[in-house]
Amino acid sequence: VKLSQFVVFSDSALCDVDGNVVRVLFQSATSQVYLLPQEVVDRFAGDAGDLSSDERAELAQARILVDEGEDEFGAVVAENIAAAGRTDVRTFVLMPTAYCNMGCEYCGQQHFKSPQSPRHRQAVVDRVLRAVHDSGTTSLHINWFGAEPLMGYAQIRDISAAVIPACDDRELPFSARLVTNGSLLTLAKLRTLHHDCRVGHFEITLDGLSHNALRPLKSGRGSLARTVDLIAEAVADAELSELTFSVRSNISQRNRDEHAGFAALVRQAGLATDQVGFYATPVRSWGNDVSDVAIPAGDIATVERQWLDAYLANGLTTAVLPTGRKPTVCVAVARGAEVVDPTGNLHSCTEQPLVPGRETTALGHITDLGMPALRPAGAYDTWNQELRDRTTPATCPSCSIFPICGGHCPLVWGEGWPACPTIKTTLPMRLTRYGETLGLTAA
Ligand code: SF4
Ligand code: SF4
């Protein structure tokens, strides 16, 4: 037997109430967490031969130890290939507009006003309805995405009004989510989007206390207080009790120390509820240079820990540990998914439209009569096969968190950068933090 490739240890040993020294372990293929006595860890990390047969059986049961010849990566990537190849689950990322009312300094998109014709709108509807009426489709999802999708609110309503009844007629499961800067939302729009357009989840970015400076409206005004108040009104509204939000904070050198103030602000506003999840993520490059404001690699675990601690201290909902397997890393590898940009071009990846330098990546146009029901092949469809066939096991094939990561972003790897999310660095810290939430203390 050998130690599983997919086991991650907490970065500290911790003490339980009886004074026993333990480690927290995460098995990323099963997403199970274990507490193990440090002395057992020391024995199997050194030589599994030091374990009793009962201990070995127990650790094998938990997939902490696996057979010497087992190809764990191969098994996970085979599952990912199967998931990405599914064509019965159809996802449409629809970008109703190329314009955004914010001017964030780190944004890599280029925004422009693009009035859209009824013909364009009908072409989008026809494209989605084709999937609805395909007898092979078993569920349909729309992700409303931008620029700022609420600049195209009328289109969201029109397209939803055409697609949702058709799904209902077929009893086809339908769901929608929307990524927005939040500034154009009102309670009335939230109700309409939730009830009529069946948007079940909103992802809103609020960049800490400096939000108004880092994400100013093009008018120069700020939107932090208004957006926080609006989310608070929504979670207090009994008619919106099924609606969920995630609040993302992009962390840069400009706002890294605002964790306590921001977490207190949103708690005081009433956002400490399980309808609203919070997470902080370091600003990353979209092909643009963010080196002046990016968090230095050596500080990332500290900064994430500070934000995590602030969320937890204020009773906010946040995921201390990864939530589970990620068989499909993103829409770009999913054969049944496609992105329709504001001009009607089809893409496979959400970061291709509107990003200078990636103009040539379109796979076709929705008005082309010869467009097949599934989008033409995209650049990342064979991402998992490429990982499987790599002759050098560097990066993802030897990574301990591949099952919950999947390679994170094929586009970034393809442009020559490591795409590893910060969880690769911060998971050992998070396991320690998780142990502390269970009442364990520093050893
Ligand atoms: S390839 Fe990267 S940028 Fe494109 S959809 Fe996937 S995760 Fe997003
Ligand atoms: S992208 Fe990085 S963290 Fe994710 S599986 Fe690949 S090597 Fe691991």
Side-chain angles (χ1 to χ4, degrees), residues 328-399:
T328 309
V329 61
C330 63
V331 290
V333 307
R335 200 61 197 86
E338 62 192 47
V339 180
V340 183
D341 85 3
T343 63
N345 278 325
L346 279 184
H347 295 260
S348 63
C349 158
T350 58
E351 303 303 325
Q352 290 172 331
L354 306 183
V355 179
R358 299 186 190 142
E359 294 87 353
T360 56
T361 52
L363 305 172
H365 196 273
I366 45 167
T367 54
D368 287 352
L369 293 175
M371 184 60 66
L374 295 177
R375 62 161 168 75
Y380 310 112
D381 290 345
T382 54
W383 167 247
N384 285 297
Q385 286 83 345
E386 286 163 30
L387 289 180
R388 181 195 59 196
D389 298 339
R390 267 187 199 169
T391 47
T392 49
T395 63
C396 305
S398 59
C399 180

Coordinates of all heavy atoms in Angstrom, one line a residue, residues 328-399:
T328 N -16.5 18.5 -13.7 CA -16.4 19.4 -14.9 C -15.8 20.7 -14.5 O -16.4 21.4 -13.7 CB -17.8 19.6 -15.5 OG1 -18.4 18.4 -15.7 CG2 -17.7 20.4 -16.8
V329 N -14.6 20.9 -14.9 CA -13.8 22.1 -14.3 C -14.5 23.4 -14.7 O -14.6 24.3 -13.8 CB -12.4 22.1 -14.8 CG1 -12.2 22.1 -16.3 CG2 -11.6 23.2 -14.1
C330 N -15.1 23.5 -15.8 CA -15.8 24.7 -16.2 C -16.6 24.5 -17.5 O -16.4 23.4 -18.1 CB -14.8 25.8 -16.4 SG -13.6 25.5 -17.8
V331 N -17.3 25.5 -17.9 CA -18.1 25.3 -19.1 C -17.3 25.0 -20.4 O -17.7 24.4 -21.3 CB -19.1 26.5 -19.4 CG1 -20.2 26.6 -18.4 CG2 -18.3 27.8 -19.5
A332 N -16.1 25.5 -20.4 CA -15.2 25.4 -21.6 C -14.9 23.9 -21.9 O -14.6 23.6 -23.1 CB -13.9 26.2 -21.4
V333 N -14.9 23.0 -20.9 CA -14.7 21.6 -21.2 C -15.9 20.8 -21.4 O -15.9 19.6 -21.8 CB -13.8 21.0 -20.2 CG1 -12.5 21.8 -19.9 CG2 -14.5 20.7 -18.9
A334 N -17.1 21.4 -21.1 CA -18.3 20.7 -21.1 C -18.9 20.7 -22.6 O -19.2 21.8 -23.1 CB -19.3 21.3 -20.2
R335 N -19.0 19.5 -23.1 CA -19.5 19.4 -24.5 C -20.9 20.0 -24.7 O -21.3 20.5 -25.8 CB -19.4 18.0 -25.0 CG -19.4 17.8 -26.5 CD -18.1 18.4 -27.1 NE -18.3 18.6 -28.5 CZ -18.8 19.7 -29.1 NH1 -19.4 20.6 -28.4 NH2 -18.9 19.8 -30.4
G336 N -21.7 19.9 -23.7 CA -23.1 20.4 -23.8 C -23.3 21.8 -23.4 O -24.4 22.3 -23.3
A337 N -22.2 22.6 -23.2 CA -22.3 24.0 -22.8 C -21.8 24.9 -23.9 O -20.9 24.5 -24.7 CB -21.4 24.2 -21.5
E338 N -22.3 26.1 -23.9 CA -21.8 27.1 -24.9 C -22.0 28.5 -24.4 O -22.9 28.7 -23.5 CB -22.5 26.9 -26.3 CG -24.0 27.1 -26.3 CD -24.6 26.6 -27.6 OE1 -24.2 25.5 -28.1 OE2 -25.4 27.3 -28.2
V339 N -21.3 29.4 -24.9 CA -21.3 30.8 -24.5 C -21.8 31.6 -25.7 O -21.2 31.5 -26.8 CB -19.9 31.3 -24.0 CG1 -20.0 32.8 -23.6 CG2 -19.4 30.4 -22.9
V340 N -22.9 32.4 -25.5 CA -23.3 33.2 -26.6 C -23.0 34.7 -26.2 O -23.5 35.2 -25.2 CB -24.8 33.1 -26.8 CG1 -25.3 34.0 -28.0 CG2 -25.2 31.7 -27.0
D341 N -22.1 35.3 -27.0 CA -21.6 36.6 -26.6 C -22.6 37.7 -27.1 O -23.6 37.4 -27.8 CB -20.2 36.8 -27.1 CG -20.0 37.3 -28.5 OD1 -21.0 37.6 -29.2 OD2 -18.9 37.5 -29.0
P342 N -22.4 39.0 -26.7 CA -23.4 40.0 -27.0 C -23.6 40.2 -28.5 O -24.7 40.8 -28.9 CB -22.8 41.2 -26.3 CG -21.9 40.7 -25.3 CD -21.3 39.5 -25.9
T343 N -22.7 39.8 -29.3 CA -22.9 40.0 -30.8 C -23.4 38.7 -31.4 O -23.6 38.7 -32.7 CB -21.6 40.4 -31.4 OG1 -20.6 39.4 -31.3 CG2 -21.0 41.7 -30.8
G344 N -23.7 37.7 -30.7 CA -24.2 36.5 -31.2 C -23.2 35.5 -31.6 O -23.5 34.4 -32.1
N345 N -21.9 35.8 -31.3 CA -20.9 34.8 -31.6 C -20.9 33.7 -30.5 O -21.2 33.9 -29.3 CB -19.5 35.4 -31.5 CG -19.1 36.1 -32.8 OD1 -19.5 35.6 -33.9 ND2 -18.5 37.2 -32.8
L346 N -20.6 32.5 -31.0 CA -20.6 31.3 -30.0 C -19.1 31.1 -29.6 O -18.2 31.1 -30.4 CB -21.1 30.1 -30.7 CG -22.6 29.8 -30.9 CD1 -22.8 28.4 -31.5 CD2 -23.2 29.9 -29.5
H347 N -19.0 30.8 -28.3 CA -17.6 30.5 -27.8 C -17.8 29.3 -26.9 O -19.0 28.9 -26.5 CB -17.1 31.6 -26.9 CG -16.8 32.9 -27.7 ND1 -15.5 33.2 -28.1 CD2 -17.6 33.9 -28.1 CE1 -15.6 34.4 -28.7 NE2 -16.8 34.8 -28.8
S348 N -16.7 28.7 -26.4 CA -16.8 27.7 -25.4 C -16.4 28.2 -24.0 O -16.8 27.6 -23.0 CB -16.0 26.5 -25.8 OG -14.6 26.8 -25.8
C349 N -15.6 29.2 -24.0 CA -15.1 29.7 -22.7 C -15.6 31.1 -22.4 O -15.7 32.0 -23.3 CB -13.6 29.7 -22.8 SG -12.7 30.8 -21.7
T350 N -15.9 31.4 -21.1 CA -16.5 32.7 -20.8 C -15.6 33.8 -20.8 O -16.0 35.0 -20.9 CB -17.1 32.6 -19.3 OG1 -16.0 32.3 -18.5 CG2 -18.2 31.6 -19.2
E351 N -14.3 33.6 -20.8 CA -13.3 34.7 -20.8 C -12.7 34.9 -22.2 O -11.7 35.6 -22.3 CB -12.2 34.4 -19.8 CG -12.6 34.1 -18.4 CD -13.4 35.2 -17.8 OE1 -13.1 36.4 -18.1 OE2 -14.4 34.9 -17.0
Q352 N -13.4 34.4 -23.2 CA -12.9 34.7 -24.6 C -13.6 36.0 -25.1 O -13.0 36.8 -25.6 CB -13.1 33.5 -25.5 CG -12.2 32.4 -25.2 CD -12.5 31.1 -26.0 OE1 -13.6 30.8 -26.3 NE2 -11.5 30.3 -26.2
P353 N -15.0 36.0 -25.0 CA -15.6 37.2 -25.5 C -15.2 38.5 -24.7 O -14.9 38.4 -23.5 CB -17.1 37.0 -25.2 CG -17.2 35.5 -25.0 CD -15.9 35.1 -24.4
L354 N -15.1 39.6 -25.4 CA -14.9 40.9 -24.8 C -13.4 41.1 -24.3 O -13.1 42.2 -23.8 CB -15.8 41.3 -23.7 CG -17.3 41.2 -24.0 CD1 -18.1 41.6 -22.8 CD2 -17.7 42.0 -25.2
V355 N -12.6 40.1 -24.4 CA -11.2 40.2 -23.9 C -10.3 40.5 -25.1 O -10.2 39.6 -26.0 CB -10.8 39.0 -23.1 CG1 -9.3 39.2 -22.6 CG2 -11.7 38.8 -22.0
P356 N -9.6 41.7 -25.1 CA -8.7 42.0 -26.3 C -7.7 40.9 -26.4 O -7.1 40.4 -25.4 CB -8.1 43.3 -25.8 CG -9.1 43.9 -24.9 CD -9.7 42.8 -24.2
G357 N -7.4 40.5 -27.7 CA -6.4 39.5 -27.9 C -7.1 38.1 -28.2 O -6.4 37.2 -28.6
R358 N -8.3 38.0 -27.8 CA -9.0 36.7 -27.9 C -10.2 36.8 -28.9 O -11.1 36.0 -28.9 CB -9.5 36.2 -26.6 CG -8.4 36.0 -25.6 CD -8.8 35.3 -24.3 NE -7.8 35.4 -23.3 CZ -8.0 35.6 -22.0 NH1 -9.2 35.8 -21.6 NH2 -7.0 35.7 -21.2
E359 N -10.1 37.9 -29.8 CA -11.2 38.1 -30.7 C -11.5 37.0 -31.7 O -12.5 36.9 -32.2 CB -11.0 39.4 -31.5 CG -10.9 40.7 -30.6 CD -9.5 41.0 -30.1 OE1 -8.6 40.1 -30.2 OE2 -9.4 42.1 -29.5
T360 N -10.4 36.2 -31.9 CA -10.5 35.3 -33.0 C -11.0 33.9 -32.5 O -10.9 32.9 -33.3 CB -9.2 35.1 -33.7 OG1 -8.2 34.7 -32.6 CG2 -8.7 36.3 -34.3
T361 N -11.5 33.8 -31.3 CA -11.8 32.5 -30.7 C -13.2 32.1 -31.0 O -13.6 31.0 -30.6 CB -11.6 32.5 -29.2 OG1 -12.3 33.6 -28.7 CG2 -10.1 32.7 -28.9
A362 N -14.0 32.9 -31.7 CA -15.4 32.5 -31.9 C -15.5 31.2 -32.7 O -14.7 31.0 -33.6 CB -16.2 33.6 -32.5
L363 N -16.5 30.4 -32.4 CA -16.7 29.1 -33.1 C -17.7 29.2 -34.1 O -18.0 28.2 -34.9 CB -17.1 28.1 -32.0 CG -16.1 27.9 -30.9 CD1 -16.7 27.0 -29.8 CD2 -14.7 27.4 -31.3
G364 N -18.4 30.3 -34.2 CA -19.5 30.5 -35.2 C -20.4 31.5 -34.7 O -20.2 32.2 -33.7
H365 N -21.6 31.7 -35.4 CA -22.5 32.7 -35.1 C -23.9 32.1 -35.0 O -24.2 31.2 -35.8 CB -22.5 33.8 -36.1 CG -23.2 35.1 -35.6 ND1 -24.5 35.3 -35.8 CD2 -22.7 36.2 -34.9 CE1 -24.8 36.5 -35.2 NE2 -23.7 37.0 -34.7
I366 N -24.7 32.6 -34.0 CA -26.0 31.9 -33.8 C -26.9 32.0 -35.0 O -27.9 31.3 -35.1 CB -26.8 32.4 -32.6 CG1 -26.7 33.9 -32.5 CG2 -26.3 31.8 -31.3 CD1 -27.7 34.5 -31.5
T367 N -26.7 33.0 -35.9 CA -27.6 33.1 -37.0 C -27.2 32.2 -38.2 O -27.9 32.2 -39.2 CB -27.7 34.6 -37.5 OG1 -26.3 35.0 -37.7 CG2 -28.3 35.5 -36.5
D368 N -26.0 31.6 -38.1 CA -25.6 30.7 -39.2 C -26.6 29.5 -39.3 O -26.8 28.8 -38.3 CB -24.2 30.1 -39.0 CG -23.1 31.1 -39.2 OD1 -23.5 32.2 -39.7 OD2 -22.0 30.8 -38.8
L369 N -27.1 29.3 -40.5 CA -28.2 28.3 -40.6 C -27.6 26.9 -40.4 O -28.2 25.9 -40.0 CB -28.8 28.4 -42.0 CG -29.7 29.7 -42.1 CD1 -30.2 29.8 -43.5 CD2 -30.8 29.7 -41.1
G370 N -26.3 26.7 -40.7 CA -25.7 25.4 -40.6 C -25.1 25.1 -39.3 O -24.5 24.0 -39.1
M371 N -25.4 25.9 -38.3 CA -24.9 25.7 -36.9 C -25.4 24.4 -36.3 O -26.6 24.2 -36.2 CB -25.2 26.9 -36.1 CG -24.6 26.8 -34.7 SD -22.8 26.8 -34.7 CE -22.4 28.4 -35.3
P372 N -24.6 23.5 -35.9 CA -25.1 22.2 -35.4 C -25.7 22.5 -34.0 O -25.5 23.5 -33.4 CB -23.8 21.3 -35.2 CG -22.7 22.3 -35.3 CD -23.1 23.5 -36.0
A373 N -26.5 21.5 -33.5 CA -27.2 21.7 -32.2 C -26.2 21.8 -31.1 O -26.5 22.6 -30.2 CB -28.1 20.4 -32.0
L374 N -25.1 21.1 -31.1 CA -24.1 21.3 -30.1 C -23.1 22.3 -30.8 O -22.8 22.2 -32.0 CB -23.4 20.0 -29.8 CG -24.2 19.0 -29.0 CD1 -23.3 17.7 -28.8 CD2 -24.7 19.5 -27.7
R375 N -22.5 23.2 -30.0 CA -21.5 24.1 -30.6 C -20.4 23.4 -31.3 O -20.1 22.2 -30.9 CB -21.0 25.0 -29.5 CG -20.2 24.3 -28.5 CD -19.3 25.1 -27.6 NE -18.7 24.4 -26.5 CZ -17.8 23.5 -26.5 NH1 -17.3 23.1 -27.6 NH2 -17.4 22.9 -25.4
P376 N -19.7 24.0 -32.3 CA -18.6 23.3 -32.9 C -17.5 23.1 -31.8 O -17.5 23.7 -30.7 CB -18.1 24.4 -33.9 CG -19.3 25.2 -34.2 CD -20.1 25.3 -32.9
A377 N -16.6 22.2 -32.1 CA -15.5 21.9 -31.1 C -14.8 23.1 -30.7 O -14.5 24.0 -31.4 CB -14.6 20.9 -31.7
G378 N -14.5 23.2 -29.3 CA -13.8 24.3 -28.8 C -12.4 23.9 -28.4 O -12.0 22.7 -28.4
A379 N -11.6 24.9 -28.0 CA -10.2 24.7 -27.7 C -9.9 23.8 -26.5 O -8.9 23.2 -26.4 CB -9.5 26.1 -27.5
Y380 N -10.9 23.7 -25.6 CA -10.7 23.0 -24.4 C -11.5 21.7 -24.2 O -11.5 21.1 -23.1 CB -10.9 24.0 -23.2 CG -10.2 25.3 -23.4 CD1 -10.9 26.5 -23.6 CD2 -8.8 25.3 -23.5 CE1 -10.2 27.6 -23.9 CE2 -8.1 26.5 -23.7 CZ -8.8 27.6 -23.9 OH -8.1 28.8 -24.2
D381 N -12.1 21.3 -25.3 CA -12.9 20.0 -25.2 C -12.1 18.8 -24.8 O -12.6 17.9 -24.2 CB -13.6 19.8 -26.5 CG -14.7 20.8 -26.8 OD1 -15.1 21.5 -25.9 OD2 -15.1 20.8 -28.0
T382 N -10.8 18.8 -25.2 CA -10.0 17.6 -24.9 C -9.0 17.9 -23.7 O -8.0 17.2 -23.6 CB -9.2 17.3 -26.2 OG1 -8.4 18.5 -26.6 CG2 -10.0 16.8 -27.3
W383 N -9.4 18.8 -22.9 CA -8.6 19.2 -21.8 C -8.2 17.9 -20.9 O -7.1 17.7 -20.6 CB -9.3 20.2 -20.9 CG -8.7 20.5 -19.6 CD1 -9.3 20.2 -18.4 CD2 -7.4 21.1 -19.3 NE1 -8.5 20.6 -17.3 CE2 -7.3 21.1 -17.9 CE3 -6.4 21.5 -20.0 CZ2 -6.2 21.6 -17.2 CZ3 -5.3 22.0 -19.4 CH2 -5.2 22.1 -18.0
N384 N -9.2 17.2 -20.6 CA -9.0 16.0 -19.7 C -8.2 14.9 -20.4 O -7.3 14.3 -19.8 CB -10.3 15.4 -19.2 CG -11.0 16.3 -18.1 OD1 -10.4 16.5 -17.1 ND2 -12.1 16.9 -18.4
Q385 N -8.5 14.7 -21.7 CA -7.7 13.7 -22.4 C -6.2 14.1 -22.5 O -5.3 13.3 -22.4 CB -8.2 13.6 -23.8 CG -9.5 12.8 -23.9 CD -10.8 13.7 -23.7 OE1 -10.7 14.8 -23.1 NE2 -11.9 13.2 -24.0
E386 N -6.0 15.4 -22.6 CA -4.6 15.9 -22.7 C -3.9 15.7 -21.4 O -2.7 15.3 -21.3 CB -4.5 17.4 -23.0 CG -4.9 17.7 -24.5 CD -5.2 19.2 -24.7 OE1 -4.7 20.0 -24.0 OE2 -6.0 19.4 -25.6
L387 N -4.6 15.9 -20.3 CA -4.0 15.6 -18.9 C -3.7 14.2 -18.8 O -2.7 13.8 -18.3 CB -5.0 16.1 -17.8 CG -5.2 17.6 -17.6 CD1 -6.2 17.8 -16.5 CD2 -3.9 18.2 -17.3
R388 N -4.7 13.3 -19.2 CA -4.5 11.9 -19.1 C -3.3 11.4 -19.9 O -2.5 10.5 -19.4 CB -5.8 11.2 -19.6 CG -5.7 9.7 -19.5 CD -6.8 9.0 -20.4 NE -6.7 9.4 -21.8 CZ -7.6 9.3 -22.7 NH1 -8.8 8.9 -22.4 NH2 -7.4 9.7 -23.9
D389 N -3.1 12.0 -21.1 CA -2.0 11.5 -22.0 C -0.7 12.1 -21.8 O 0.3 11.8 -22.5 CB -2.5 11.7 -23.4 CG -3.8 10.9 -23.7 OD1 -4.0 9.9 -22.9 OD2 -4.5 11.2 -24.6
R390 N -0.6 13.1 -20.8 CA 0.7 13.7 -20.6 C 1.8 12.7 -20.2 O 1.5 11.8 -19.4 CB 0.6 14.8 -19.5 CG 0.3 16.1 -20.0 CD 0.4 17.2 -18.9 NE -0.3 18.3 -19.4 CZ -0.7 19.4 -18.7 NH1 -0.3 19.4 -17.5 NH2 -1.3 20.4 -19.3
T391 N 2.9 12.8 -20.8 CA 3.9 11.8 -20.5 C 4.7 12.3 -19.2 O 5.3 11.4 -18.5 CB 4.9 11.6 -21.7 OG1 5.3 12.9 -22.1 CG2 4.3 10.8 -22.8
T392 N 4.7 13.6 -19.0 CA 5.4 14.0 -17.7 C 4.3 14.3 -16.7 O 3.3 15.0 -17.0 CB 6.2 15.3 -17.9 OG1 5.4 16.2 -18.6 CG2 7.5 15.0 -18.7
P393 N 4.4 13.7 -15.5 CA 3.3 13.9 -14.6 C 3.3 15.2 -13.8 O 2.8 15.3 -12.7 CB 3.5 12.7 -13.6 CG 4.9 12.5 -13.6 CD 5.4 12.9 -15.0
A394 N 4.0 16.2 -14.4 CA 4.0 17.5 -13.7 C 2.6 18.1 -13.5 O 1.7 17.7 -14.2 CB 4.9 18.5 -14.4
T395 N 2.5 19.0 -12.6 CA 1.3 19.8 -12.4 C 0.0 18.9 -12.1 O 0.1 18.0 -11.2 CB 1.0 20.7 -13.5 OG1 0.7 20.0 -14.7 CG2 2.1 21.7 -13.7
C396 N -1.0 19.0 -12.8 CA -2.3 18.4 -12.4 C -2.2 16.9 -12.2 O -2.8 16.4 -11.2 CB -3.4 18.7 -13.4 SG -3.6 20.5 -13.7
P397 N -1.6 16.1 -13.1 CA -1.6 14.7 -12.8 C -0.9 14.2 -11.5 O -1.2 13.1 -11.1 CB -0.8 14.1 -14.1 CG -1.0 15.2 -15.1 CD -1.0 16.5 -14.4
S398 N -0.1 15.0 -10.9 CA 0.5 14.6 -9.6 C -0.1 15.5 -8.5 O 0.4 15.4 -7.4 CB 2.0 14.8 -9.7 OG 2.3 16.1 -10.0
C399 N -1.1 16.2 -8.7 CA -1.6 17.2 -7.7 C -2.5 16.5 -6.7 O -3.3 15.6 -7.0 CB -2.3 18.3 -8.4 SG -3.0 19.5 -7.3

